[in-house]
């Protein structure tokens, strides 16, 4: 078992009604000037059974505060305009705390805003490249505006991690921004907010979380306790997604899904394991950077093709490790025997719940596969992954996804 040094400073407040119960009390510990960040409008719609929208509820709870807003953060959030605009608002209004209300994209964008605004002094529009250097890690984040969030989508686990993923359209970059300074101070997780998720987003969230867990599972050195923890979490997701498809307002099913997704990207599932050998995020981020597809769908499409590829392209001890992981995963999650059956089971599960399982179905054809494979090979360092991937491997995997 590997050594580890673990801390998550985020307070999780989980359950039905927690925003009305505790948001005001939580926000009292920060200053008066609050920037509320949100997406394209889902938080302004009143859900069935609710008397007001989440947006109206938050504004009414925080009426004593001085409120500023950054609306319109898109899925696969963009550096320009959203991050830059958020930094400008923080600087101009000397914001004390940012309240992110929405899905992972809103929260990820908020983390980048918080880190860049905290680190950069002066006018952001005169320092665009410096701001980008901070986002892509070439310059350190030295301070951050505190973040509180109300997460409305069970998927990324951004509410319990220190990362975000930001896209820069003009360079086709989509990259991870990390700093321990951008862990949310407090995350509110009320599963009832996910009742309104479109089926597509519910499923994409499940696939994203399964991927985060598999990311922790597929590594060279692992321990039994973590395996059991992760296999159990995925069995719970497999069972509860079916309950939610039958009844989108099944609270207990939504709650169990949210519990798994919140822990999914935090690293807590794999303390003591060796580093992840799972390259799916690196390969998917190119797909969503070039084609703006839904992140979870891209992951689901690539996963079985990568598993198949490494099964047939590894030898010796590495091959034995690959076989052991794929077999154990299939046996304990889907109750099947052997590698082929395990890979088929994950593919069939995604297909059965309704996730598009080819690139063609999400609007990607062969034309830019080589360009994307080169981008990934040049930028993601996969040649040193647990199972190394070179540009040709990445291209072959993309082609198998068509
Ligand atoms: O923009 P609005 O109107 O709010 O609508 C959103 C958006 O269209 C909608 N939505 C969110 N909550 C809703 C809702 N609709 C109805 N009811 C609700 N309760 O869903 C759409 C997708 O939202 P988005 O925030 O983009 O989804 P998700 O949470 O899956 O976030 C995806 C982004 O997170 C990144 C992905 O790459 C992608 O950019 N990731 C972040 C990670 C992290 N921070 O650790 C890790 C992940 O692996 C991932 O890469
Ligand atoms: Zn993900």
């Amino acid at each position: 078992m590997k050594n580890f040094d673990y801390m998550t400073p985020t307070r999780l407040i989980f359950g039905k009604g927690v925003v009305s119960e505790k948001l005001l009390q939580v926000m009292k510990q920060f200053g008066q000037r609050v920037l509320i960040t949100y997406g394209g409008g889902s938080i302004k719609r009143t859900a069935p059974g609710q008397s007001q929208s989440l947006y109206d509820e938050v504004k009414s709870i925080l009426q004593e505060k001085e409120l500023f807003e950054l609306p319109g953060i898109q899925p696969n959030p963009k550096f320009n305009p959203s991050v830059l605009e958020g930094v400008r608002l923080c600087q101009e209004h000397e914001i004390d705390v940012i309240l992110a209300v929405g899905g992972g994209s809103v929260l990820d964008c908020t983390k980048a805003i918080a880190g860049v605004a905290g680190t950069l002094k002066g006018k952001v529009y005169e320092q665009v490249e410096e701001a980008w250097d901070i986002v892509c890690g070439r310059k350190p984040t030295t301070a951050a505006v505190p973040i509180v969030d109300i997460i409305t989508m069970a998927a990324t686990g951004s509410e319990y991690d220190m990362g975000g993923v930001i896209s820069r359209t003009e360079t086709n970059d989509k990259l991870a921004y990390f700093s321990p300074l951008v862990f949310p101070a407090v995350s509110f997780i009320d599963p009832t907010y996910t009742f309104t998720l479109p089926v597509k987003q519910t499923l994409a969230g499940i696939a994203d979380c399964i991927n985060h867990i598999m990311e922790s599972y597929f590594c060279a050195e692992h321990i039994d306790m973590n395996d059991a923890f992760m296999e159990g979490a995925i069995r719970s997701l497999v069972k509860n997604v079916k309950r939610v498809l039958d009844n989108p307002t099944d609270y207990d099913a939504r709650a169990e899904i949210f519990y798994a997704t919140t822990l999914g990207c935090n690293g807590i599932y794999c303390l003591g394991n060796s580093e992840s050998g799972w390259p799916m995020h690196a390969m998917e981020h190119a797909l969503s950077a070039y084609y703006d597809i839904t992140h979870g769908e891209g992951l689901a499409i690539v996963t079985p093709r990568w598993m198949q590829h490494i099964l047939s392209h590894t030898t010796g001890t590495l091959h034995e490790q690959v076989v052991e992981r794929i077999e154990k995963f299939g046996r304990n999650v889907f109750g099947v025997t052997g590698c082929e059956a395990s890979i088929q089971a994950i593919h069939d599960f995604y297909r059965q719940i309704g996730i598009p399982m080819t690139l063609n179905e999400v609007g990607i054809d062969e034309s830019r596969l080589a360009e994307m494979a080169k981008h990934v090979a040049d930028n993601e360092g996969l040649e040193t992954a647990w199972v190394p991937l070179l540009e040709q491997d990445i291209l072959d995997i993309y082609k198998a996804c068509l």
Side-chain angles (χ1 to χ4, degrees):
M1 182 168 169
K2 297 282 188 193
N3 294 357
F4 63 84
D5 179 342
Y6 171 81
M7 186 182 78
T8 299
T10 305
R11 174 179 169 193
L12 299 180
I13 307 184
F14 188 103
K16 207 179 283 185
V18 289
V19 169
S20 63
E21 262 173 53
K22 292 187 178 163
L23 180 64
L24 186 57
Q25 176 213 328
V26 161
M27 295 301 280
K28 278 189 175 150
Q29 65 191 286
F30 303 100
Q32 269 300 105
R33 300 160 82 82
V34 182
L35 175 65
I36 302 176
T37 54
Y38 56 96
S42 69
I43 68 160
K44 290 191 173 173
R45 290 194 286 276
T46 305
Q50 302 284 330
S51 57
Q52 60 183 344
S53 68
L54 177 55
Y55 174 81
D56 287 338
E57 185 184 5
V58 166
K59 297 255 301 195
S60 127
I61 292 171
L62 300 181
Q63 53 188 291
E64 290 160 17
K65 298 275 185 184
E66 204 174 335
L67 302 179
F68 302 87
E69 294 187 19
L70 175 68
I73 297 172
Q74 296 169 341
N76 302 320
K78 312 298 182 280
F79 174 70
N80 191 0
S82 294
V83 175
L84 292 176
E85 182 58 10
V87 175
R88 190 188 65 73
L89 288 169
C90 285
Q91 291 177 338
E92 189 175 316
H93 302 294
E94 296 177 354
I95 293 297
D96 296 310
V97 56
I98 312 179
L99 176 63
V101 189
S105 293
V106 171
L107 183 48
D108 283 8
C109 184
T110 300
K111 288 174 174 175
I113 293 168
V116 174
T119 304
L120 267 190
K121 307 291 173 210
K123 293 194 175 63
V124 67
Y125 284 107
E126 290 164 11
Q127 305 175 51
V128 170
E129 291 313 317
E130 271 183 85
W132 181 246
D133 282 349
I134 294 167
V135 172
C136 63
R138 279 195 289 264
K139 289 204 171 137
T141 299
T142 53
V145 181
I147 299 168
V148 174
D149 68 87
I150 302 170
I151 188 85
T152 63
M153 167 115 185
T156 60
S158 189
E159 64 274 24
Y160 204 42
D161 73 23
M162 60 168 180
V165 187
I166 302 296
S167 296
R168 194 170 186 187
T169 314
E170 62 268 35
T171 52
N172 286 318
D173 278 313
K174 179 173 180 183
L175 38 87
Y177 166 63
F178 292 106
S179 167
L181 296 171
V182 301
F183 270 115
V186 183
S187 291
F188 286 87
I189 306 156
D190 181 338
T192 59
Y193 296 139
T194 62
F195 288 177
T196 54
L197 278 173
V199 172
K200 175 186 171 80
Q201 295 298 341
T202 295
L203 299 181
I206 296 284
D208 192 17
C209 181
I210 290 178
N211 242 274
H212 295 154
I213 299 173
M214 291 174 92
E215 192 165 298
S216 303
Y217 193 90
F218 279 78
C219 59
E221 288 179 55
H222 35 81
I223 60 170
D224 288 347
M225 188 178 128
N226 289 344
D227 280 359
F229 198 18
M230 291 189 263
E231 289 156 2
I234 298 184
R235 282 199 303 273
S236 157
L237 289 167
V238 168
K239 175 177 161 191
N240 285 299
V241 71
K242 289 175 185 156
R243 288 170 64 189
V244 161
L245 288 174
D246 287 344
N247 174 13
T249 59
D250 182 329
Y251 177 81
D252 289 326
R254 289 283 192 188
E256 208 168 314
I257 289 171
F258 226 151
Y259 179 38
T261 57
T262 294
L263 300 190
C265 208
N266 168 277
I268 197 168
Y269 282 124
C270 57
L271 301 177
N273 281 7
S274 63
E275 213 174 308
S276 163
W278 187 256
M280 239 55 65
H281 276 77
M283 285 195 282
E284 194 291 319
H285 284 163
L287 302 178
S288 46
Y290 279 68
Y291 289 92
D292 221 354
I293 65 165
T294 299
H295 172 63
E297 293 180 352
L299 293 170
I301 293 167
V302 179
T303 297
R305 282 68 186 222
W306 172 77
M307 292 168 88
Q308 195 66 59
H309 185 88
I310 63 167
L311 188 61
S312 51
H313 283 74
T314 46
T315 54
T317 309
L318 183 57
H319 184 71
E320 284 165 23
Q321 287 176 351
V322 164
V323 167
E324 186 276 332
R325 288 287 78 190
I326 296 178
E327 276 187 351
K328 186 172 184 192
F329 182 84
R331 186 167 62 249
N332 292 342
V333 173
F334 292 108
V336 298
T337 306
C339 287
E340 294 293 342
S342 176
I343 297 169
Q344 194 62 44
I346 183 98
H347 177 278
D348 292 351
F349 163 69
Y350 284 142
R351 177 62 89 194
Q352 275 159 16
I353 59 175
I355 293 181
M357 284 305 288
T358 62
L359 289 180
N360 280 318
E361 288 167 78
V362 296
I364 300 178
D365 62 16
E366 197 166 359
S367 58
R368 302 187 78 184
L369 296 187
E371 193 186 340
M372 289 191 291
K374 180 168 171 23
H375 190 91
V376 173
D378 287 348
N379 294 293
E380 300 286 353
L382 295 184
E383 73 280 4
T384 56
W386 166 53
V387 181
L389 294 182
L390 303 176
E391 186 177 331
Q392 188 60 48
D393 297 300
I394 299 164
L395 182 57
D396 290 345
I397 294 167
Y398 280 155
K399 282 185 176 166
C401 295
L402 283 170

